[in-house]
Every structure is written in structure tokens, then in C-alpha cells.
Amino acid sequence: MINIDLMAKKILIITLLAITAAFAIPTSSKANTMVEIIDYETQEVSITVKASTVHVTGANGQMLYVYNVAGVRVMSLRIDGNDRQYDLDLPKGCYIIQVGKTSRKVSIK
């Protein structure tokens, strides 16, 4: 007579070994390649504006875009540091400033 508990344990062990083997076998030649994922959503980006100067923190290497209220891009520049200030030198009006997924509505007076 076969012990059912012993048979169930053997089936469970075989199943676990099969699952482990399935995940351990590389599916392509690029399986050993290191990939660095940079998630800008988790980085703290801050945009503040005083007069016509924009102050951006936490956005090193990202692009800053300025759009007018019609949605036309009027300026773009690459941010070259974690704490930078830029003079927008734009005419008076309302604009949208975007860095990554962070956007701010601003008014230049």
C-alpha cells in the first residue's frame, strides 16, 4: 500500500523543482545583460517660478519644456544639474512648464 502523504510530498517537490527550473533557464542570449531602469516618477522634481526665473531641483539630465496657452512649445532646454535656475526671458503671459512628468502653470508678469 502506498502512503498518500509521501506521494503528495513527492509530487509537490517535483512541481516546485519544475517551476524553479523554468525560471532559471535563460530564454535569450541577452538574459545576462544588466539593465538600469530610471524611473523619473519616483524622483522628486520641483519647479518654482519667481518673476521670469524658473528654479528646478531634482531633474538633472532631463528636458525642460515651456508651452504657451495654445500648446505651442516656445522653449526647451536640457537641465544640467540637480539645483538650477534659468531666466526664461519670455513675454508677459501664461505658460506651462514641464519637466518629465511634472508640470506647472505659471504667469510671467
Side-chain angles (χ1 to χ4, degrees):
M1 187 156 236
I2 299 175
N3 187 347
I4 295 180
D5 288 335
L6 181 61
M7 194 159 110
K9 286 180 185 178
K10 286 183 180 180
I11 291 173
L12 180 62
I13 290 171
I14 292 171
T15 304
L16 290 175
L17 288 173
I19 291 172
T20 304
F23 285 108
I25 299 171
T27 57
S28 71
S29 62
K30 296 182 180 181
N32 294 328
T33 305
M34 296 296 293
V35 176
E36 180 181 2
I37 298 173
I38 300 173
D39 187 6
Y40 290 118
E41 282 188 54
T42 60
Q43 295 178 350
E44 187 70 27
V45 175
S46 172
I47 303 169
T48 55
V49 177
K50 286 188 179 178
S52 66
T53 303
V54 64
H55 181 213
V56 182
T57 58
N60 187 26
Q62 295 189 49
M63 292 296 294
L64 179 140
Y65 299 107
V66 180
Y67 300 92
N68 64 16
V69 291
V72 177
R73 186 185 307 164
V74 294
M75 178 184 285
S76 62
L77 55 95
R78 181 165 301 280
I79 300 170
D80 59 356
N82 277 330
D83 189 359
R84 299 290 299 174
Q85 291 187 5
Y86 300 98
D87 185 26
L88 297 180
D89 194 30
L90 293 169
K92 293 180 184 180
C94 295
Y95 297 93
I96 298 169
I97 298 176
Q98 180 182 17
V99 177
K101 294 187 178 192
T102 304
S103 299
R104 296 287 180 266
K105 294 179 277 185
V106 298
S107 177
I108 306 293
K109 298 179 180 182

